[in-house]
Amino acid sequence: MPLSLLPDVLTDSLTDITPALLSELGVRSLLLDFDNTIVPYTTDVPTAEMRRWLQTLQDSEIFLCIVSNSRKQRVVRFCQENGLPCVTHARKPFSRGIREALMRYQLEPAHTALAGDQVFTDVLGANGCGLTSILISPICLHNVWLRLRRGLEEPFRWLARKRRR
């Protein structure tokens, strides 16, 4: 697979992704990053809007699975509480965790997307595995390292916006 840092889809929030959009993209399975995509790094409690979005997607024919680099138990606890399958310790952008989710749940890469907030992990990992890559804006940039990383990602976000026009 070609290694690309450009996302296929760019959106402000995870809640902007609808079953209709995914269907239009030919996506039947959606892998989701956890931290700063569903909830901020500092909590495992989603907003009411995020809860509604998760329920809407779970009620649709779209299969959802969390694929997180985190080693923290809060990811597993969140998935158990919300009836979501998960793969932790994914090591994105490397393919191990993404491939594990694809094999465990018998997902076809051509009909699977990965949505996350980071170019260098989520987009690169999705593109490298032949998935549709969806880049969202991070929920919260609460420290200097997250703001610096976002600055490094900005040229790729700009190119993705320009390509979309």
Side-chain angles (χ1 to χ4, degrees):
M1 292 289 137
L3 295 180
S4 173
L5 294 168
L6 295 181
D8 297 311
V9 177
L10 188 64
T11 185
D12 289 331
S13 170
L14 193 57
T15 57
D16 293 336
I17 300 168
T18 64
L21 171 64
L22 294 172
S23 179
E24 186 179 303
L25 295 169
V27 170
R28 295 190 291 256
S29 306
L30 181 60
L31 307 181
L32 299 165
D33 180 44
F34 186 70
D35 288 315
N36 242 1
T37 298
I38 296 175
V39 296
Y41 281 101
T42 55
T43 185
D44 61 354
V45 179
T47 63
E49 179 184 20
M50 185 61 69
R51 282 193 192 282
R52 283 190 300 276
W53 180 84
L54 284 168
Q55 191 60 57
T56 297
L57 267 284
Q58 286 174 311
D59 291 344
S60 75
E61 294 183 11
I62 304 295
F63 174 80
L64 295 178
C65 177
I66 305 298
V67 177
S68 175
N69 286 351
S70 180
R71 297 178 175 271
K72 297 183 178 167
Q73 193 58 32
R74 69 190 190 87
V75 178
V76 174
R77 188 174 46 250
F78 174 89
C79 290
Q80 288 170 342
E81 290 171 0
N82 291 281
L84 292 166
C86 73
V87 173
T88 58
H89 315 281
R91 298 187 65 215
K92 296 173 291 182
F94 301 107
S95 65
R96 185 192 69 77
I98 296 168
R99 294 265 177 234
E100 181 180 332
L102 293 171
M103 288 185 344
R104 185 186 299 172
Y105 302 107
Q106 300 174 351
L107 309 177
E108 298 174 49
H111 299 290
T112 302
L114 189 149
D117 68 302
Q118 294 186 49
V119 169
F120 302 117
T121 57
D122 303 312
V123 171
L124 186 57
N127 290 344
C129 288
L131 311 183
T132 299
S133 55
I134 302 174
L135 181 63
I136 67 159
S137 296
I139 293 172
C140 178
L141 299 174
H142 71 278
N143 67 40
V144 68
W145 303 114
L146 293 176
R147 289 190 291 277
L148 285 171
R149 186 197 68 219
R150 175 63 191 258
L152 292 172
E153 292 177 344
E154 197 52 44
F156 303 103
R157 291 173 185 275
W158 181 82
L159 285 170
R161 283 190 294 273
K162 186 176 179 181
R163 181 178 68 178
R164 201 168 59 177
R165 290 182 197 159

